[in-house]
Amino acid sequence: PMSDGNADEPTKNGHSSKRRKIGATLKEKQFYANIRTAAMLFIVTIVFLVAFLPALLMTQELIPYNIVIFYTYFVYNTANPVIYSFMNQSFRIELKNMYSKMCNGSRKH
């Protein structure tokens, strides 16, 4: 018999095509979540390299020593939470929860 496009029609294995569409949607969501995670880790890695490379090159005496540039690796410690909060919604939510608990706790003292 010909299909009339009804999403609830059973397929060969007895499952409805609606369930198959939901499964495809979940797979797509997982795929895009993996892409976002990979992008975030790539950016974290680039920031790490940019922050630590000058100090490494100075310790190997490949570039002249400069105290300000030498300590750029501290930037990585502050950049990491910023990167995560821009690119990870669950991190943002937990960070807001933590700050609200800290602020509410400091008001009680």
Side-chain angles (χ1 to χ4, degrees), residues 36 40 80-101:
R36 283 192 304 271
M40 180 177 56
N80 223 4
V82 173
I83 293 167
Y84 283 115
S85 58
F86 274 111
M87 300 190 78
N88 188 328
Q89 184 179 9
S90 60
F91 182 84
R92 231 180 356 254
I93 291 167
E94 291 300 320
L95 193 62
K96 285 178 185 177
N97 289 339
M98 183 183 73
Y99 281 134
S100 66
K101 287 178 183 177

Side-chain angles (χ1 to χ4, degrees), residues 11-47:
T11 59
K12 292 179 185 175
N13 60 6
H15 296 102
S16 72
S17 57
K18 186 182 247 182
R19 182 178 290 168
R20 213 174 10 166
K21 287 181 184 176
I22 291 170
T25 303
L26 290 175
K27 274 188 174 181
E28 288 174 1
K29 285 182 181 180
Q30 287 176 338
F31 175 76
Y32 289 120
N34 286 341
I35 294 294
R36 283 192 304 271
T37 301
M40 180 177 56
L41 292 175
F42 177 75
I43 291 172
V44 167
T45 303
I46 295 300
V47 170

